[in-house]
Amino acid sequence: MIELKDISKIYKTKNGEIAAVKNVNLTIQKGEIFGIIGYSGAGKSTMIRLLNGLEKPTAGLVVVNGQPISSISGSKLRQARQKISMIFQHFNLLWSRTVAENIAFPLEIAGVPAAERTKRVKELIDLVGLSGRDKAYPSQLSGGQKQRVGIARALANNPEVLLCDEATSALDPETTDSILELLLDINKRLGLTIVLITHEMHVIRKICHRVAVMEAGQVVEQGDVLQVFQQPQADITKNFVMQVSGTKDSKNSIEQILANYPTGKIVKLTFIGNKTEQPIISQLIKQFDVEVNIVHGNISQTASGPYGTLIVQIVGEDSNVQKALDLLNSIEIQTEVIEHA
């Protein structure tokens, strides 16, 4: 569906060249929700502009839905863009138009007859949960409702790709979750390919199937969301994962835990799927004559299933503690013995 091959984008300024994107390779499958995460300046916004053809790469190839977006122009590019829609952080609604008129706008531009426009607008209003608000103006809507209008407008011409540029960053957490649930529902109903640009790992965890982590214009890590959560490789990825696992101030927290629990071993357990529901701790206590104290724990839901972390203190004879660790590893629960730095 979407391929980026050896993509680089260099901007020339009076102070020299700035490499916004450096040698990026990505493949996004049809019908998946793919997240691109990074902090400000990572190159995310440039990436999304490359995907919709607003920017041309300095080097490399961008293919979307079989069309070489990076090399076509004029009418061919406009035609390709009809299958690529976008929603924005600040909604970009027309304030002098009602909800229905905002949604109808791209249909008007496309020359769709009035009767067909009216029917399509009603379908979209129902789809995004705004029934009864068709005559309201943007100033009369909440932030979440404005974004629902933006989503409905983006779907008007039946796109095959939906690009979301920090689409929930201006919303409160509860509203963010409702918008993410809506995007997940749309993905399932319509088979729409969705690309989410964000700096929030919560957004990735909630609905994305796969993720690419960007730093300084490069993709430093990519993979299935559960895999990245379970075994983050890059330091920036570890930082993002800690944001949603409750261990953001990891170094200080770990040192405090080690100070508070000076005996036995402090072990971090990472587990996924149905293992989050198994009575592992009681099994260790019964089978190996060890004492296990839960120091910190967190379970997060991802689009592919639950992911959990536990930090525990295991006290007992060294041989029994080792047997307990061996059992955990044998049932594919990742273990990490934590020690003072």
Side-chain angles (χ1 to χ4, degrees), residues 267-287:
V267 184
K268 180 181 178 182
L269 311 179
T270 305
F271 44 94
I272 61 174
N274 60 10
K275 291 184 178 62
T276 60
E277 302 172 0
Q278 294 179 8
I280 302 299
I281 300 302
S282 60
Q283 184 179 350
L284 296 180
I285 295 171
K286 290 176 182 178
Q287 191 167 341

Side-chain angles (χ1 to χ4, degrees), residues 147 175 198:
Q147 194 57 284
T175 306
T198 184

Side-chain angles (χ1 to χ4, degrees), residues 180-191:
L180 294 177
E181 290 288 351
L182 175 59
L183 290 173
L184 188 59
D185 182 57
I186 288 169
N187 168 257
K188 290 176 179 176
R189 285 198 200 188
L190 307 181

Side-chain angles (χ1 to χ4, degrees), residues 48-228:
I48 207 165
R49 292 172 67 84
L50 290 167
L51 287 174
N52 62 18
L54 289 175
E55 296 278 3
K56 298 292 185 182
T58 306
L61 178 66
V62 180
V63 178
V64 180
N65 197 28
Q67 296 294 316
I69 297 294
S70 54
S71 58
I72 58 177
S73 59
S75 62
K76 287 186 177 180
L77 179 58
R78 288 192 295 272
Q79 187 176 5
R81 278 182 179 156
Q82 289 179 2
K83 293 299 181 182
I84 306 170
S85 281
M86 192 162 172
I87 57 174
F88 307 89
Q89 178 179 359
H90 297 296
F91 321 125
N92 289 14
L93 302 180
L94 300 169
W95 292 86
S96 62
R97 284 179 167 244
T98 64
V99 166
E101 290 168 344
N102 265 282
I103 298 170
F105 187 59
L107 298 171
E108 293 173 20
I109 294 175
V112 176
E116 191 175 333
R117 287 202 308 267
T118 301
K119 179 182 177 182
R120 179 64 176 153
V121 167
K122 184 181 184 308
E123 290 173 354
L124 291 166
I125 287 175
D126 291 342
L127 177 67
V128 300
L130 287 175
S131 298
R133 304 293 285 164
D134 54 309
K135 295 181 180 179
Y137 287 89
S139 61
Q140 300 170 309
L141 303 177
S142 67
Q145 289 172 329
K146 290 172 187 172
Q147 194 57 284
R148 287 173 184 268
V149 177
I151 292 169
R153 181 183 59 187
L155 298 176
N157 281 320
N158 295 300
E160 296 185 10
V161 176
L162 180 62
L163 305 178
C164 306
D165 187 10
E166 298 279 8
T168 60
S169 294
L171 306 175
D172 62 74
E174 185 176 348
T175 306
T176 290
D177 282 350
S178 71
I179 294 298
L180 294 177
E181 290 288 351
L182 175 59
L183 290 173
L184 188 59
D185 182 57
I186 288 169
N187 168 257
K188 290 176 179 176
R189 285 198 200 188
L190 307 181
L192 194 65
T193 303
I194 299 177
V195 182
L196 283 168
I197 303 291
T198 184
H199 65 275
E200 299 172 300
M201 199 61 172
H202 168 73
V203 172
I204 301 296
R205 181 195 70 187
K206 185 84 175 177
I207 67 169
C208 292
H209 302 120
R210 291 193 300 133
V211 61
V213 183
M214 290 195 71
E215 184 177 29
Q218 295 179 300
V219 172
V220 296
E221 188 165 352
Q222 61 176 298
D224 294 341
V225 169
L226 269 179
Q227 173 194 337
V228 169

